[in-house]
Amino acid sequence: MFEELGERLVSKPEIALAELIKNAYDADSPDCQITLDDTQIVVADHGHGLTESEFLNNWMVVSSPAKGKQRYSRRFGRSMAGSKGVGRFSARYLGRMVELTTVADVPGGRIGARTKLTATFDWTKIAQVQKIGQVTIDYRVRLAKPGEATGTTLRITQLRDEAEAISVAKVKTDILRLTDPAAGLERPAFAFSHKDTGPKNDRDPGFTVSFTNAASTPELVPPSVASEILKAFVGRVRIQVTESGRLSYKVFWDRSEKVLDEGWFPLADVARDYSANALKLKPGQDADERGLPLELEDVSHLPMSLQLHSPVFIDIRFFPRRAGTFSNLPVNGKIAQRWLSEAASLAIVDNGFAMPAYSDRGSDWLGVDASKARNERAWQSVFTPVYYPMKPGAREDPRLNPMLALPRGTQLVGRIHITTQKRPADSLISDDWLQPNMDRESLRSNGAFRLLWHVARFAVELLAHHDRAQRLKLEEKKVRDAQKQARTSLSAAIEEIKSSPNIDPAYRRRVVEQLTQAQDQFAEATAYSDDAKRSLEVMSMMGVMAGLLTHEFEKSLATLTLAAELLDKLPRPSAEVTAALIQLRAYEAELGHFRDYMRLIVDKARELKPQTFKARAQVNFTAKTLGHLADRYGIAVVVDIDGKLPGPAVPVAAYSGIVMNLMTNAMKALIPKVPGEPRRIRLYATNEGTHHTLVCADNGIGIPVYVRTRIWDPLFTTTASTDEDNPLGSGLGLGLSVVKQVVQGLGGRIELLDEAPPGFATAFKVTLPLEAKES
């Protein structure tokens, strides 16, 4: 039984050593000295040692009640690193013979009075005992010699195969990784919030781990230089989560201490939608393999709890492999890169000690390398799309998609600090507690851990968001610098030609005129590009207003309906009131249909997956929405689509938006026609092979040949109107540009036909897939 229990509690030599080091830390020792050679392992500390009573009632008892209740060390008030009482099993894992020597002050005795306890554990004999109650351990207690220091020493001999086969250098590296996990990174404030249990003059001297008689391993860089490397980050994210669940974050960039971006939010604002209660299946609802609603099958690590019962502190540094990342450092860039490959990890640090499952090199517990391998294009943390949604079209554009800028694990050095606590004995079992597994190597996979995963993943995705944004800014700066250089060179050329005496005056005048004209056109194009960019940025922000406007529009319409009802109840309305009432009822009907259309778009826009629908029904619905405008301007709209024709495999809102933009563009081209001439729009659709084809044709004023290539440019329009009574005259020139982005994002194509159908001047053809595109 002891063999089986020991194997479950300890599985690796470095973890066994780490558990013994934690005992030294909990004993208020300032240090822990480890001796490793071929015959023995010695772990010694200068802590408060063990009295006979503590040896019998604490050290000899697995997960004793005292360890659960004592959450702070007795002298320095350290948050206890060990709580399972597995120290003796760690020693058993390493060797068959264990000699314990411990010196402690006599409780209540005179100053300087100490006892020295020695005990021997022969694990070969202990393993042969059938019942735990029959195990006896020989130990001896005597008074310590005057001046003998307190502390505990474990001498482990008859080393097991696992311990003999280990690389001393590897163990040393792994132990330092576990016991000094945040070297050079910012440490959390709660790591120093020790409970005030001892005298006022007992200040914690800190804790160090040292190795003696061990093969030395030359460090790539000394600790001071490692700290300088960490300061040379390209990106850094710092996150704090309070026990109440308030997350605050700051982003720093390019070695600067100036905050680039910051914010805060309550975790429960987002986690509530993904909690176990909120994700209960409704009758008849399809489920994924986890038993969660099918629409969440692409969202990992669900359900989550709403709290962690632990503060969290995250410090993550980003070091991409780019020119200049390690410039101006007190160490060669290649050495710094090799150090980074050794130090890279995103370890979870519990009460000051890293958990092996998350600190091992190559551990991808956050799935960042897996995301890179799968070429994922959507945010994985549930927090990122809420607070940093991708701009329209960015997901499908490799240049703009920030997820494609996600760092690799080898480019990140970071720590996620937590302080797990033992739950009160009378508390109910809950998913809301971060709790270590029995082996202390990892956390239990519960709702609290899944919530922590999304918080930590949010930190990494913040780096991706800002890295993409910063690199796009750099690209734009390069373009502006090139444009400025081109303008300067062009101006210099003009001046040189003007002043040249060797050029025929007439020829010189023509060349200067042409170059000047080119210079003006270049300046105009640059100004247009800048204005378009700024306008697009403003317009992209208006998307968030859609839901709000729909809600407010519904309230306004309700008031309008009430006013019409009140007017209708007047006993003897005048002719003017009657006329106004008729007009009011007409507006009410028109606005009601607008409301229904807006509600459809807002509701369906939340459903990003393709839905099944009939093409004619959706086109008719959009045509009806614009029907009053068609009637006002005498526009005949013909929908020539089979009522049973299935629509393409795209979201309903996207298809409806495409139809709406094509129809309004057609109407804009029809309104300027000479009054009395027929105005017609024809929409027809077919399914051929694997594609759905939709054509919108009109007999409007047409599109001149010389601007046909510019109609896809943002903010370019040929149908702007100054007629205040024309509701379509306020266009921004975004319609066709946005439609093209949407269509391409859905795996389709849009084109302006070279030849419109007979009787029509302009026709746009949209081709969309009939089967869902794989993401």
Side-chain angles (χ1 to χ4, degrees):
M1 176 176 179
F2 279 106
E3 292 288 324
E4 183 181 357
L5 183 58
E7 292 294 341
R8 288 187 179 184
L9 293 176
V10 183
S11 60
K12 297 178 183 178
E14 61 270 22
I15 295 173
L17 273 175
E19 287 297 330
L20 298 178
I21 293 169
K22 289 178 183 179
N23 284 348
Y25 178 83
D26 291 346
D28 285 320
S29 178
D31 59 8
C32 183
Q33 298 175 352
I34 300 175
T35 301
L36 300 170
D37 58 38
D38 294 336
T39 61
Q40 67 175 357
I41 297 174
V42 180
V43 181
D45 68 55
H46 295 91
H48 49 60
L50 295 168
T51 64
E52 182 179 8
S53 175
E54 290 169 335
F55 171 73
L56 294 174
N57 298 316
N58 295 354
W59 207 80
M60 289 294 294
V61 177
V62 179
S63 193
S64 67
K67 288 184 178 290
K69 294 178 181 178
Q70 185 182 351
R71 296 310 304 147
Y72 299 94
S73 63
R74 69 179 66 163
R75 184 177 182 187
F76 300 131
R78 293 172 176 172
S79 181
M80 301 289 275
S83 63
K84 296 294 182 182
V86 298
R88 85 270 321 130
F89 292 105
S90 297
R92 184 216 66 82
Y93 181 87
L94 296 170
R96 296 174 178 83
M97 291 294 296
V98 179
E99 298 175 16
L100 169 69
T101 303
T102 181
V103 178
D105 291 327
V106 176
R110 70 179 189 279
I111 298 176
R114 292 171 176 165
T115 60
K116 185 173 186 178
L117 184 150
T118 58
T120 301
F121 295 79
D122 185 339
W123 284 100
T124 302
K125 292 182 179 180
I126 293 174
Q128 297 172 355
V129 177
Q130 297 297 318
K131 296 181 180 181
I132 295 178
Q134 296 174 350
V135 174
T136 59
I137 302 297
D138 293 330
Y139 72 93
R140 176 187 176 191
V141 182
R142 63 174 177 81
L143 289 175
K145 295 178 182 180
E148 200 164 1
T150 61
T152 300
T153 299
L154 284 170
R155 186 180 304 277
I156 306 168
T157 56
Q158 296 184 26
L159 302 180
R160 297 184 54 176
D161 293 341
E162 292 87 348
E164 290 180 349
I166 63 176
S167 162
V168 172
K170 181 180 185 302
V171 170
K172 177 180 178 181
T173 300
D174 289 342
I175 286 297
L176 292 176
R177 184 189 295 269
L178 294 176
T179 57
D180 191 18
L185 294 169
E186 184 179 353
R187 295 174 182 267
F190 54 75
F192 302 101
S193 301
H194 295 173
K195 189 176 180 65
D196 187 12
T197 57
K200 294 296 184 182
N201 58 352
D202 277 1
R203 301 185 63 180
D204 192 341
F207 183 72
T208 59
V209 178
S210 60
F211 291 78
T212 60
N213 299 335
S216 61
T217 54
E219 296 185 72
L220 290 172
V221 295
S224 60
V225 178
S227 180
E228 290 300 314
I229 293 176
L230 287 172
K231 292 178 183 177
F233 59 81
V234 169
R236 179 193 175 199
V237 171
R238 181 183 186 273
I239 286 180
Q240 288 181 289
V241 182
T242 64
E243 290 197 58
S244 65
R246 182 184 189 273
L247 183 149
S248 58
Y249 62 91
K250 292 183 178 180
V251 181
F252 307 85
W253 214 257
D254 198 19
R255 308 188 185 188
S256 174
E257 295 183 3
K258 183 180 178 181
V259 176
L260 174 68
D261 184 27
E262 62 183 324
W264 70 272
F265 55 86
L267 293 178
D269 277 6
V270 177
R272 181 181 295 110
D273 295 334
Y274 300 97
S275 64
N277 288 335
L279 297 181
K280 287 182 179 178
L281 288 175
K282 299 178 178 63
Q285 191 174 11
D286 293 332
D288 65 8
E289 60 184 11
R290 299 169 299 178
L292 300 178
L294 192 59
E295 60 264 26
L296 298 175
E297 61 181 343
D298 295 330
V299 184
S300 60
H301 295 82
L302 294 181
M304 300 181 294
S305 64
L306 301 182
Q307 54 189 328
L308 299 165
H309 278 112
S310 169
V312 178
F313 180 83
I314 300 176
D315 183 7
I316 296 180
R317 317 286 176 100
F318 172 41
F319 302 89
R321 301 195 70 170
R322 298 173 192 158
T325 297
F326 294 114
S327 60
N328 301 319
L329 286 176
V331 66
N332 181 273
K334 291 183 178 179
I335 294 177
Q337 188 64 55
R338 287 205 305 273
W339 174 87
L340 178 64
S341 66
E342 290 288 328
S345 75
L346 296 171
I348 294 179
V349 181
D350 182 17
N351 288 303
F353 289 86
M355 306 193 83
Y358 316 110
S359 63
D360 286 346
R361 280 175 295 180
S363 171
D364 188 34
W365 70 277
L366 270 182
V368 293
D369 289 329
S371 290
K372 299 292 287 187
R374 292 193 294 265
N375 204 33
E376 286 175 343
R377 291 172 176 256
W379 296 125
Q380 298 299 297
S381 169
V382 298
F383 300 109
T384 321
V386 174
Y387 298 102
Y388 290 89
M390 293 187 192
K391 293 182 178 180
R395 180 169 175 172
E396 303 302 328
D397 189 336
R399 178 177 167 271
L400 300 178
N401 191 319
M403 258 296 289
L404 298 182
L406 194 73
R408 297 185 182 276
T410 53
Q411 300 171 333
L412 298 170
V413 180
R415 302 294 180 260
I416 295 93
H417 291 268
I418 60 174
T419 58
T420 59
Q421 305 172 37
K422 194 163 186 177
R423 286 177 297 162
D426 58 351
S427 69
L428 298 175
I429 296 175
S430 170
D431 263 7
D432 292 346
W433 289 78
L434 286 175
Q435 288 286 291
N437 282 315
M438 181 179 288
D439 59 10
R440 310 288 292 173
E441 294 185 41
S442 59
L443 294 168
R444 293 179 184 173
S445 182
N446 58 15
F449 173 74
R450 291 189 284 272
L451 177 58
L452 180 68
W453 187 93
H454 284 277
V455 169
R457 177 76 185 211
F458 172 64
V460 177
E461 291 180 354
L462 269 177
L463 289 169
H465 169 83
H466 286 287
D467 188 42
R468 177 64 78 205
Q470 293 299 313
R471 297 189 75 179
L472 288 174
K473 285 183 179 179
L474 184 60
E475 289 179 13
E476 291 173 4
K477 183 178 183 302
K478 289 181 178 179
V479 170
R480 289 195 301 270
D481 290 345
Q483 291 174 342
K484 182 178 180 181
Q485 180 61 42
R487 289 196 299 270
T488 301
S489 299
L490 188 56
S491 297
I494 292 174
E495 292 302 319
E496 184 175 350
I497 292 174
K498 280 182 178 180
S499 60
S500 174
N502 301 320
I503 301 178
D504 178 73
Y507 179 72
R508 180 172 59 203
R509 185 169 54 255
R510 289 197 303 272
V511 171
V512 169
E513 286 177 354
Q514 292 173 352
L515 288 178
T516 302
Q517 184 179 10
Q519 186 180 38
D520 293 341
Q521 292 174 344
F522 186 80
E524 180 183 352
T526 302
Y528 164 79
S529 177
D530 292 341
D531 291 344
K533 178 179 177 299
R534 283 191 293 269
S535 297
L536 282 174
E537 290 173 347
V538 173
M539 289 303 300
S540 67
M541 293 187 294
M542 291 183 65
V544 300
M545 294 293 292
L548 175 62
L549 289 176
T550 301
H551 176 69
E552 295 302 315
F553 186 82
E554 288 184 341
K555 291 196 301 182
S556 301
L557 182 58
T559 303
L560 183 64
T561 301
L562 178 61
E565 291 175 351
L566 293 175
L567 286 175
D568 203 22
K569 292 178 182 179
L570 291 176
R572 293 181 179 179
S574 64
E576 291 180 352
V577 171
T578 300
L581 179 59
I582 294 172
Q583 188 66 49
L584 195 59
R585 288 297 190 187
Y587 284 146
E588 180 188 355
E590 293 177 7
L591 293 177
H593 200 77
F594 279 144
R595 175 203 58 198
D596 294 339
Y597 184 81
M598 290 167 63
R599 185 185 294 145
L600 168 74
I601 294 298
V602 171
D603 291 345
K604 293 297 183 181
R606 297 191 182 102
E607 301 176 20
L608 299 180
K609 293 186 177 182
Q611 298 118 38
T612 302
F613 63 92
K614 300 300 182 185
R616 181 181 178 87
Q618 287 305 313
V619 175
N620 276 338
F621 188 78
T622 303
K624 185 177 179 182
T625 302
L626 298 173
H628 71 289
L629 291 176
D631 293 342
R632 183 187 304 176
Y633 292 101
I635 299 173
V637 179
V638 177
V639 178
D640 189 8
I641 302 174
D642 189 325
K644 297 181 180 179
L645 184 74
V650 301
V652 172
Y655 190 78
S656 183
I658 292 169
V659 175
M660 172 67 76
N661 273 276
L662 292 178
M663 286 191 67
T664 54
N665 272 322
M667 287 184 172
K668 290 179 189 178
L670 287 165
I671 291 174
K673 287 194 66 168
V674 176
E677 288 193 4
R679 294 180 170 90
R680 293 183 294 132
I681 295 176
R682 179 175 178 241
L683 294 110
Y684 61 92
T686 59
N687 288 343
E688 297 179 5
T690 60
H691 289 88
H692 172 88
T693 301
L694 171 71
V695 175
C696 180
D698 69 78
N699 66 337
I701 59 176
I703 300 175
V705 175
Y706 61 90
V707 296
R708 291 173 71 90
T709 58
R710 294 201 61 192
I711 61 173
W712 311 108
D713 293 346
L715 304 180
F716 181 82
T717 178
T718 62
T719 56
S721 172
T722 58
D723 183 0
E724 294 182 0
D725 191 46
N726 179 3
L728 299 176
S730 57
L732 293 163
L734 287 172
L736 289 175
S737 173
V738 172
V739 169
K740 185 176 183 180
Q741 288 186 36
V742 171
V743 169
Q744 290 178 342
L746 295 170
R749 185 178 70 257
I750 182 171
E751 55 188 312
L752 172 62
L753 296 180
D754 291 334
E755 292 186 12
F760 293 90
T762 306
F764 284 92
K765 176 182 176 182
V766 177
T767 306
L768 293 166
L770 282 171
E771 295 183 0
K773 190 183 73 163
E774 294 185 3
S775 57

